[in-house]
């Protein structure tokens, strides 16, 4: 006698696949549930792949926009917690003594290998000064300040703005601070604008530091000219330390010419009524405190 549909002879068993087929053929609701579940799984997998791919693309090809947005949220006068919220935990933290505001703390961040952020905080964890240094020609965060010399707002973009252009902002009341030591020592050159009512009592500084490579725009002098110029300034002015500070109005032609050859790689600002004496020497992250493998110190500076 033949088997009825869906049955087997005595002693024979359905396979798992056959049982599932038989069940789904008799239960439309189950079929719909399984179909919807498969569709949801497929969509979820697609969304996960899309988000993961988007993050990978942003991290490797469109990362600048996200980092610019972080930096745009930071200013001197904010708390250190605000900086850590945007940048993560600092890589280096040291104490600063004998400053104009007493004992302070210097925190150095490296959110990515392309740039550094340095923040000096007081006992209340208020950031009294901070600096951003770009190590990549493709990383060009912009910062705006009020230039009372020109009577308008000015924008500085790291590794794009010519160093000499910021000199116009300091030529009457500002200073130039420089240090050019041996091959393994610090090399920096900053234009410093003191605070006044026009700047809402903030001090500003722009310049180059060998924490990161200097981007040459148009070279006209070999690197040894920097050392010759620095040594002459040491003889002209009382250094009061390793660095030399020159009133902007007394800066010689060679000093101005050297500024015209490079783009600034560092921007710094202070909280209201604070000056850059909160940094004992180097404005911004001190390359002498950072492992050479990270800062590439021996190779940076004028080529």
């Amino acid at each position: 006698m033949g088997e009825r549909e869906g049955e087997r002879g005595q002693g024979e068993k359905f396979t798992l696949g056959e049982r599932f087929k038989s069940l789904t053929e008799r239960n439309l609701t189950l079929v719909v549930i399984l179909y919807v579940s498969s569709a949801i799984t497929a969509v979820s997998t697609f969304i996960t792949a899309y988000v993961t791919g988007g993050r990978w693309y942003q991290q490797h090809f469109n990362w600048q926009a996200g980092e610019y947005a972080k930096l745009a949220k930071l200013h001197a006068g904010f708390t250190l917690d605000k900086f850590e919220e945007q940048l993560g935990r600092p890589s280096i933290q040291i104490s600063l003594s004998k400053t104009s505001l007493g004992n302070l703390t210097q925190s150095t961040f490296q959110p990515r290998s392309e740039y550094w952020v340095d923040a000096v905080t007081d006992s209340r964890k208020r950031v009294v000064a901070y600096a951003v240094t770009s190590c990549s020609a493709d990383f060009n965060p912009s910062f705006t300040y009020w230039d009372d010399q020109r009577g308008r707002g000015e924008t500085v973009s790291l590794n794009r703005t010519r160093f000499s252009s910021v000199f116009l902002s300091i030529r009457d009341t500002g200073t130039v601070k420089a240090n050019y030591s041996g091959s393994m020592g610090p090399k920096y050159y900053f234009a410093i604008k003191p605070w006044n009512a026009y700047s809402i009592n903030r001090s500003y500084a722009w310049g180059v530091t060998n924490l990161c490579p200097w981007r040459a725009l148009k070279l006209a002098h070999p690197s040894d000219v920097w050392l010759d110029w620095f040594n002459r300034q040491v003889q002209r002015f009382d250094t009061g330390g390793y660095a030399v500070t020159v009133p902007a109005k007394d800066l010689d032609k060679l000093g101005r010419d050297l500024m015209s050859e490079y783009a600034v790689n560092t921007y710094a600002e202070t909280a209201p009524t604070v000056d850059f004496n909160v940094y004992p020497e180097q404005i911004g992250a001190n390359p002498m405190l950072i492992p050479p493998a990270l800062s590439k110190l021996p190779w940076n500076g004028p080529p």
Side-chain angles (χ1 to χ4, degrees):
M1 185 176 179
E3 298 179 11
R4 289 182 303 175
E5 186 178 357
E7 295 182 354
R8 291 290 182 94
Q10 188 175 6
E12 294 185 33
K13 297 181 179 180
F14 287 107
T15 66
L16 182 61
E18 290 171 331
R19 291 176 183 175
F20 180 78
K21 179 180 178 183
S22 176
L23 178 63
T24 55
E25 286 175 345
R26 295 195 304 266
N27 194 329
L28 180 61
T29 301
L30 178 60
V31 172
V32 172
I33 291 174
L34 291 174
Y35 176 81
V36 171
S37 177
S38 299
I40 292 174
T41 300
V43 171
S44 177
T45 301
F46 174 79
I47 291 175
T48 300
Y50 177 81
V51 171
T52 301
R55 288 174 178 171
W56 181 88
Y57 178 83
Q58 184 176 27
Q59 183 177 6
H60 291 83
F61 295 100
N62 193 33
W63 57 271
Q64 292 95 331
E67 302 305 309
Y68 295 161
K70 292 179 184 179
L71 294 176
K73 297 176 182 178
L74 302 177
H75 284 287
F78 291 179
T79 64
L80 184 63
D81 290 341
K82 179 67 173 179
F83 276 67
E84 291 183 349
E85 177 184 315
Q86 298 299 321
L87 307 173
R89 298 286 297 174
S91 302
I92 301 170
Q93 214 165 34
I94 63 171
S95 296
L96 299 177
S97 59
K98 299 180 180 180
T99 75
S100 58
L101 295 182
N103 294 332
L104 304 173
T105 300
Q106 182 177 2
S107 301
T108 302
F109 302 83
Q110 190 185 33
R112 291 180 59 102
S113 62
E114 290 86 358
Y115 75 105
W116 296 85
V117 177
D118 190 79
V120 176
T121 53
D122 61 16
S123 59
R124 297 177 297 163
K125 297 182 69 175
R126 180 180 72 119
V127 175
V128 296
Y130 93 107
V132 180
T133 302
S134 172
C135 296
S136 170
D138 296 326
F139 187 63
N140 315 112
S142 297
F143 306 89
T144 301
Y145 67 98
W146 180 258
D147 182 359
D148 46 287
Q149 298 289 330
R150 297 182 176 97
R152 63 174 187 259
E154 292 291 332
T155 298
V156 170
S157 298
L158 301 188
N159 284 324
R160 282 186 178 171
T161 299
R162 189 179 295 273
F163 192 7
S164 56
S165 69
V166 300
F167 180 75
L168 297 176
S169 299
I170 69 162
R171 59 185 175 185
D172 292 336
T173 60
T175 57
V176 168
K177 185 175 184 179
N179 192 354
Y180 195 96
S181 57
S183 60
M184 293 294 292
K187 301 178 182 66
Y188 56 81
Y189 195 8
F190 283 100
I192 301 173
K193 181 179 178 62
W195 60 269
N196 59 33
Y198 295 104
S199 66
I200 318 180
N201 295 333
R202 292 183 183 275
S203 301
Y204 294 98
W206 313 268
V208 286
T209 165
N210 65 326
L211 175 68
C212 293
W214 296 21
R215 181 167 179 252
L217 299 177
K218 185 178 181 181
L219 291 180
H221 299 88
S223 59
D224 56 0
V225 172
W226 283 85
L227 183 58
D228 294 340
W229 173 83
F230 176 74
N231 289 335
R232 286 198 299 272
Q233 307 318 302
V234 171
Q235 296 173 2
R236 289 180 62 200
F237 301 94
D238 181 13
T239 62
Y242 297 104
V244 60
T245 300
V246 180
K249 60 184 179 181
D250 295 331
L251 187 67
D252 61 17
K253 182 179 182 303
L254 178 58
R256 295 192 299 271
D257 289 345
L258 293 176
M259 286 175 125
S260 69
E261 298 180 6
Y262 293 89
V264 297
N265 67 11
T266 301
Y267 165 87
E269 70 178 35
T270 70
T273 71
V274 176
D275 59 44
F276 284 105
N277 288 335
V278 295
Y279 283 108
E281 289 289 346
Q282 167 97 39
I283 294 175
N286 188 342
M288 300 304 292
L289 301 177
I290 297 172
L294 294 178
S295 67
K296 301 180 180 179
L297 178 62
W299 297 275
N300 291 343

